[in-house]
Amino acid sequence: MGNNTNVDMGNYGDREPDIEWINNLAWYGKAVRSDGFTCEVHPGQSSSYGIWEKALFNKVHLHIWQYPLPNLELVILLVFVLWQVFDILFKKLGLLIPKFASMMLAGLLLNVLLTVSGDKSIIQEILFPENRIDVPGCLGTFGFMMFWFLNGVKMDVKTIFKAEVHARLTGVAAAALPITVGLVLYKFKSAESIPLKAVEYNTLLLMESLTSFSEIARLLVDLGMNHSSVGQVALSTSVVSNMVGLMFWLGTVPLGFQSLVQDVGLLVKMFFFIVIVFAVVRPIMFKVIIRKREGRPIEDKYIYGILIMVFLSCMYWDGLQQFPALGAFFLGLAIPNEPPLGSALVERLESFNFGIILPLFMSASMLRSDIRVWKDFLIFYSSNDKKFAVGCLVLLIFLLKLSASMIVPYLCKMPLKDAIILSLIMSHKGLIELSFYLFSYGLELLDRDTFSILVLSILLNSLFLPMTIKFLYDPSKRFMCYQKRSLASMKITGALKTLVCIHRPDHISSMINLLEACYQSYKSPLTCYVLHLVELQGQEVPTLIAHKVQKLGAGTGAKYSENVILSFEHFHRYVRGSIFIDTFTCITNSNHMQDDICWLALDKAVTFIILPFHRTWSLNRTSIVSDSEMIRFLNFNVLKQAPCSVGILVERHLVNKNQESQQNLKVCVIFVGGEDDIEALAFAKRMARQENVTLTVLRLLAGKKSKQMKGSDQTLEAVELRKLVRSYDPGTLKEESSTTYLEEVILDGADTSMLLRSMASDYDLFIISRTCGQNHAATLGIESWCEFEELGVIGDFLASPDFPSKTSVLVVQQQRTIANN
């Protein structure tokens, strides 16, 4: 009945009008009369009339939470607050529990409140409003479909072909072994031993044996392991296992029909859909990318069009009486997962969907489970009980999967501890399994008791498995180095290995100029690893591309880094054989770029990492054109965990040493005392050996020296300075002639500030340590002025806009930790 439908009161005859029926129709939009006649109003009233409703209809008005829109807003707020409270609580306790588990606990808490409060409580009215469509549940289902779609977008099927042999074998074994053992067990079962129907048994066997790539990727992100070596293997293994299980499912689902024609017909319909999305939709998506203007975002009409296709895909698979989310998943696989299209979809949809909409689906799943069944199951009151059989089957498959995922990589020479961690990761269960069980429960393929036990198993898995993994995995030892990798511990003529990090094109010239000023000769070559960092968008798996500049040129894998490769190839030809350059592109999440930097530095035995400062100046070096907090956060993390020495380059003046030019590059290193100062001094000594480079060593002495420095420290620093000023190596006469040593006595930070301002325009580059002046009179009274801690007090002063000269600054930190053998 529409809004313009009139209720014929004459149908009542001589009876009194059914006032309750009329009130229900007016307020709830749906009413059932005593004779069974049902009437609905579409569209219904979505929100209240405000204070006028209370004033005019005091006795018959509805509560605010009984209207669809306020009810939806209230449920969203309630669920969001609850799961955020759990998530924050776990973080405060130091427990790395996945966000998915926090969402489940929020739904569990609502279930407990609903059970305790009874059927007539406010909680019951809010969560299960009378005579109303379950709008929060419908919205949660939409979020669940979008979750599957985005998982397809982020999954790179090509990872299967890139995966190493042991990852492929582990992925196949992790899915095949539990399924094979389960099928053999069911074939020789007795009705008493396994009191489960065939459809229930097959559903449990399939979903418990699978490993979802999206769940593993989400778990690794929550645990901070997605850039570790074990995490990389787990991602590749989960993709293989996911596809093996999916192919198995596609092959066995039609076997439920009695007719061979129906079996074949369903298979044809499913593969027809897959062919259409990959042969038709995918080429269309590439045409959309080609038509996009350079530098412009994807137009909204294409995003809306893709969302419509998501709905149509789900409807198609629902019409086949199959899992509707698979339609969205296959469509997501057909969408190019790289920028600009895949990244735009993930950027626009994922955060809102995962944080706001998807928790509604999780809460609805938990509300459908019977927590009283959990008590009966945990008591084990009957070994022949169906709930006990379900629990035993889940445990058996878990142990089989755990064993297969541990034994195969161990036989492939993976360390035992890493193999155990990998097996635990591969045994993780989460949202994908829960959603399929909920779908099966809705189709009555699973009863409520079985569904409740499966929900309990997923909840326990998602709570305790991550804690076990974190207990076994120690991230602090990932980049631990077992030898000294610092400039001070090297011979001045030794080969230097550096890692140069590039974020933007304007970082290229500054890094090349610095390298040109410090490379030496054939006898003491410079090895430079160039790492171009690109933010990961539209996919889950980080990628490291090796370009091999000297061997392959600029055409191999240069999609993201063409400018970087060409620039450093030109630099290599300019300096010829005295420098070796190897270029890499790292496509990774911005929050984990430091892991890739430190891993590459450890793998290549790098001595010195050079990072760009997060601020970039204009061409005339007078104004700031970019200020990236992401780069600053990255620099902080690299300084904390780097396996070698680190330098941050603040370029405000072209650091350029040209052999053909008669003008010298004037460098000043500021020395106060400490290991970082010695490291800065060692780098400056290398530059002093070059042609057209003049070095000034400025030592700041405290006015009350005895209170600022111990005698042993003074002796050590004096020895280092003596090595610089007076070298006993006959081959370093150039270094002696181009080095000037100065000493200045200062009383406090004000003296230091005045001294540096007076000599600001005399140099092209200042080299200073990060801890220069720490706990020393040189910084007394100016510590609170420091804006950027990563530069240190004096380094921050030299790089500040208030400093009168636009001289470049290199801030150096020596290797912090060395592991004991």
Side-chain angles (χ1 to χ4, degrees):
M1 177 182 293
N3 280 335
N4 57 350
T5 303
N6 296 320
V7 179
D8 186 5
M9 303 302 294
N11 292 334
Y12 288 94
D14 297 332
R15 294 183 297 136
E16 290 293 330
D18 191 343
I19 301 301
E20 183 179 359
W21 182 83
I22 296 175
N23 286 336
N24 288 340
L25 183 64
W27 292 104
Y28 293 100
K30 179 180 179 180
V32 180
R33 207 166 59 188
S34 58
D35 58 358
F37 180 75
T38 302
C39 185
E40 294 184 6
V41 177
H42 294 289
Q45 182 70 25
S46 61
S47 58
S48 71
Y49 297 100
I51 59 174
W52 300 111
E53 179 179 323
K54 177 71 175 177
L56 299 178
F57 306 100
N58 186 40
K59 294 183 179 181
V60 294
H61 76 283
L62 295 182
H63 296 290
I64 184 67
W65 58 79
Q66 292 179 303
Y67 289 98
L69 183 58
N71 177 263
L72 174 63
E73 295 169 341
L74 187 59
V75 172
I76 290 176
L77 179 63
L78 184 62
V79 172
F80 178 79
V81 170
L82 287 178
W83 87 260
Q84 284 290 325
V85 167
F86 279 112
D87 188 51
I88 295 173
L89 178 62
F90 287 139
K91 291 180 179 178
K92 293 295 183 182
L93 295 176
L95 301 176
L96 294 179
I97 303 298
K99 292 180 173 59
F100 158 77
S102 299
M103 297 177 189
M104 290 191 70
L105 289 175
L108 175 61
L109 180 58
L110 292 177
N111 194 330
V112 172
L113 293 176
L114 195 62
T115 303
V116 173
S117 60
D119 296 337
K120 301 298 182 180
S121 63
I122 296 179
I123 295 293
Q124 174 74 25
E125 292 184 5
I126 293 175
L127 298 178
F128 298 101
E130 184 181 0
N131 295 333
R132 292 291 183 185
I133 298 175
D134 185 12
V135 179
C138 293
L139 185 60
T141 303
F142 165 75
F144 159 69
M145 298 299 176
M146 292 306 303
F147 177 78
W148 274 78
F149 168 70
L150 293 175
N151 285 337
V153 173
K154 292 185 288 185
M155 180 181 291
D156 187 3
V157 182
K158 293 181 291 185
T159 306
I160 298 177
F161 306 101
K162 300 176 183 177
E164 297 181 1
V165 176
H166 68 277
R168 298 180 190 177
L169 293 176
T170 305
V172 173
L177 180 64
I179 292 176
T180 303
V181 174
L183 292 176
V184 172
L185 181 65
Y186 189 78
K187 183 178 181 180
F188 297 100
K189 76 174 181 67
S190 61
E192 293 79 12
S193 60
I194 305 181
L196 293 173
K197 299 178 183 178
V199 64
E200 292 178 319
Y201 188 88
N202 291 335
T203 301
L204 266 66
L205 179 62
L206 177 64
M207 292 311 300
E208 292 297 322
S209 301
L210 293 185
T211 299
S212 170
F213 165 78
S214 58
E215 287 300 329
I216 299 302
R218 178 70 61 178
L219 173 67
L220 294 175
V221 169
D222 290 338
L223 296 178
M225 294 179 58
N226 54 332
H227 289 71
S228 64
S229 57
V230 178
Q232 295 292 312
V233 175
L235 287 173
S236 301
T237 305
S238 63
V239 173
V240 176
S241 181
N242 200 359
M243 299 308 296
V244 169
L246 188 60
M247 293 300 104
F248 178 83
W249 182 83
L250 290 175
T252 56
V253 163
L255 301 180
F257 294 99
Q258 301 296 327
S259 170
L260 179 62
V261 176
Q262 289 180 312
D263 294 346
V264 175
L266 181 58
L267 277 176
V268 169
K269 292 177 182 177
M270 290 191 298
F271 282 103
F272 171 77
F273 176 85
I274 296 174
V275 170
I276 288 297
V277 295
F278 282 97
V280 178
V281 176
R282 187 172 177 85
I284 293 176
M285 296 297 105
F286 280 112
K287 290 184 178 180
V288 170
I289 295 174
I290 294 174
R291 292 183 59 184
K292 187 188 79 71
R293 295 181 180 179
E294 184 69 25
R296 298 289 298 276
I298 293 292
E299 297 182 32
D300 290 342
K301 62 181 180 181
Y302 298 119
I303 303 295
Y304 300 149
I306 292 174
L307 292 179
I308 293 174
M309 286 192 290
V310 172
F311 287 115
L312 294 178
S313 301
C314 294
M315 292 173 61
Y316 180 85
W317 281 76
D318 186 60
L320 298 178
Q321 297 183 348
Q322 301 302 314
F323 193 36
L326 282 178
F329 176 74
F330 282 119
L331 179 63
L333 285 178
I335 303 294
N337 58 2
E338 299 174 349
L341 185 56
S343 60
L345 289 169
V346 173
E347 181 181 355
R348 295 192 186 190
L349 301 176
E350 185 175 44
S351 296
F352 179 75
N353 184 68
F354 187 81
I356 303 295
I357 302 180
L358 194 61
L360 298 177
F361 175 80
M362 304 299 304
S363 299
S365 302
M366 297 301 295
L367 289 172
R368 284 172 172 79
S369 61
D370 188 355
I371 58 177
R372 289 170 294 190
V373 174
W374 297 1
K375 180 186 69 174
D376 297 339
F377 168 72
L378 295 175
I379 293 177
F380 297 124
Y381 66 91
S382 174
S383 60
N384 295 325
D385 185 60
K386 184 177 181 180
K387 297 185 285 293
F388 180 75
V390 172
C392 290
L393 180 60
V394 171
L395 181 60
L396 175 63
I397 298 174
F398 173 80
L399 293 176
L400 289 171
K401 194 175 187 66
L402 195 71
S403 302
S405 303
M406 179 179 62
I407 294 174
V408 173
Y410 181 69
L411 294 177
C412 295
K413 309 301 181 182
M414 177 179 281
L416 179 60
K417 187 175 181 180
D418 289 350
I420 294 174
I421 295 174
L422 176 62
S423 64
L424 291 172
I425 294 173
M426 293 295 294
S427 302
H428 174 67
K429 299 298 176 184
L431 177 58
I432 301 298
E433 292 78 15
L434 179 62
S435 63
F436 193 85
Y437 289 144
L438 183 61
F439 170 75
S440 301
Y441 175 62
L443 294 180
E444 299 182 353
L445 300 178
L446 301 174
D447 57 35
R448 191 179 184 190
D449 289 355
T450 303
F451 174 73
S452 300
I453 298 301
L454 293 173
V455 170
L456 175 62
S457 69
I458 294 175
L459 179 60
L460 295 177
N461 183 295
S462 60
L463 284 175
F464 294 104
L465 207 64
M467 288 192 288
T468 306
I469 295 171
K470 201 60 182 178
F471 175 77
L472 295 174
Y473 176 74
D474 186 2
S476 64
K477 296 182 179 179
R478 286 179 298 172
F479 310 114
M480 190 69 71
C481 184
Y482 290 86
Q483 59 183 350
K484 288 186 177 181
R485 290 186 183 173
S486 61
L487 297 167
S489 62
M490 294 177 56
K491 292 182 179 180
I492 194 172
T493 58
L496 175 63
K497 291 185 177 182
T498 62
L499 174 62
V500 173
C501 299
I502 305 292
H503 293 277
R504 293 191 293 260
D506 47 10
H507 294 156
I508 298 175
S509 60
S510 59
M511 293 298 178
I512 289 179
N513 291 333
L514 181 64
L515 291 174
E516 185 181 356
C518 67
Y519 83 87
Q520 297 182 31
S521 63
Y522 293 96
K523 296 182 180 180
S524 55
L526 173 67
T527 300
C528 178
Y529 299 101
V530 182
L531 182 62
H532 183 206
L533 296 159
V534 180
E535 186 174 0
L536 179 68
Q537 296 178 331
Q539 52 184 313
E540 293 279 8
V541 182
T543 306
L544 181 66
I545 305 171
H547 298 289
K548 295 289 184 183
V549 174
Q550 285 79 12
K551 297 180 181 180
L552 301 180
T556 303
K559 178 179 178 181
Y560 295 96
S561 310
E562 183 176 1
N563 291 338
V564 176
I565 296 172
L566 290 175
S567 299
F568 278 91
E569 186 182 46
H570 175 74
F571 173 57
H572 176 254
R573 285 197 296 263
Y574 170 70
V575 297
R576 308 216 175 150
S578 60
I579 185 171
F580 173 84
I581 297 179
D582 197 356
T583 308
F584 298 85
T585 297
C586 180
I587 308 171
T588 183
N589 188 284
S590 59
N591 293 328
H592 298 279
M593 284 182 178
Q594 66 274 4
D595 296 338
D596 296 277
I597 294 173
C598 295
W599 177 84
L600 187 60
L602 186 64
D603 182 66
K604 300 298 182 180
V606 167
T607 305
F608 194 51
I609 300 174
I610 306 177
L611 304 170
F613 191 52
H614 66 277
R615 280 185 173 177
T616 303
W617 276 264
S618 59
L619 293 176
N620 58 8
R621 316 293 168 177
T622 57
S623 60
I624 299 172
V625 296
S626 66
D627 191 344
S628 173
E629 285 298 320
M630 183 272 290
I631 297 179
R632 187 188 180 196
F633 177 77
L634 170 65
N635 291 347
F636 256 120
N637 289 329
V638 173
L639 288 170
K640 290 179 182 178
Q641 61 189 45
C644 60
S645 298
V646 183
I648 299 178
L649 177 61
V650 185
E651 193 205 30
R652 300 176 65 184
H653 181 278
L654 291 177
V655 182
N656 192 3
K657 187 270 303 180
N658 192 335
Q659 292 181 344
E660 299 178 359
S661 174
Q662 299 300 320
Q663 186 176 2
N664 289 344
L665 175 68
K666 292 171 288 186
V667 180
C668 177
V669 57
I670 302 175
F671 190 96
V672 173
E675 294 181 351
D676 286 354
D677 280 29
I678 296 174
E679 191 74 4
L681 198 60
F683 188 83
K685 287 161 66 175
R686 286 184 167 268
M687 296 187 69
R689 293 172 57 86
Q690 309 308 308
E691 296 292 335
N692 300 334
V693 174
T694 59
L695 175 64
T696 299
V697 179
L698 174 62
R699 187 181 186 188
L700 302 181
L701 301 175
K704 297 179 181 180
K705 188 174 179 180
S706 59
K707 296 183 179 180
Q708 299 291 338
M709 192 179 302
K710 296 180 180 180
S712 59
D713 294 335
Q714 297 180 45
T715 303
L716 177 62
E717 291 163 5
V719 169
E720 292 295 327
L721 292 174
R722 195 179 300 114
K723 286 182 180 179
L724 176 63
V725 179
R726 255 183 107 173
S727 175
Y728 298 98
D729 185 353
T732 59
L733 296 178
K734 158 65 184 65
E735 178 189 348
E736 293 183 37
S737 61
S738 62
T739 302
T740 304
Y741 177 69
L742 301 176
E743 284 188 358
E744 294 288 344
V745 179
I746 46 93
L747 297 177
D748 53 19
D751 282 358
T752 305
S753 174
M754 294 178 59
L755 174 63
L756 295 179
R757 286 177 179 274
S758 66
M759 56 194 307
S761 302
D762 297 337
Y763 302 99
D764 303 311
L765 173 66
F766 280 104
I767 300 179
I768 188 170
S769 74
R770 186 187 177 197
T771 58
C772 182
Q774 188 174 353
N775 300 323
H776 190 275
T779 58
L780 185 62
I782 62 173
E783 298 95 336
S784 59
W785 298 357
C786 183
E787 182 180 2
F788 302 117
E789 296 179 13
E790 65 271 27
L791 301 181
V793 178
I794 298 180
D796 177 80
F797 174 73
L798 294 173
S800 67
D802 298 330
F803 194 65
S805 173
K806 308 309 175 186
T807 304
S808 295
V809 182
L810 178 65
V811 180
V812 178
Q813 173 185 281
Q814 194 178 64
Q815 179 187 20
R816 283 290 183 256
T817 57
I818 302 176
N820 295 322
N821 292 317

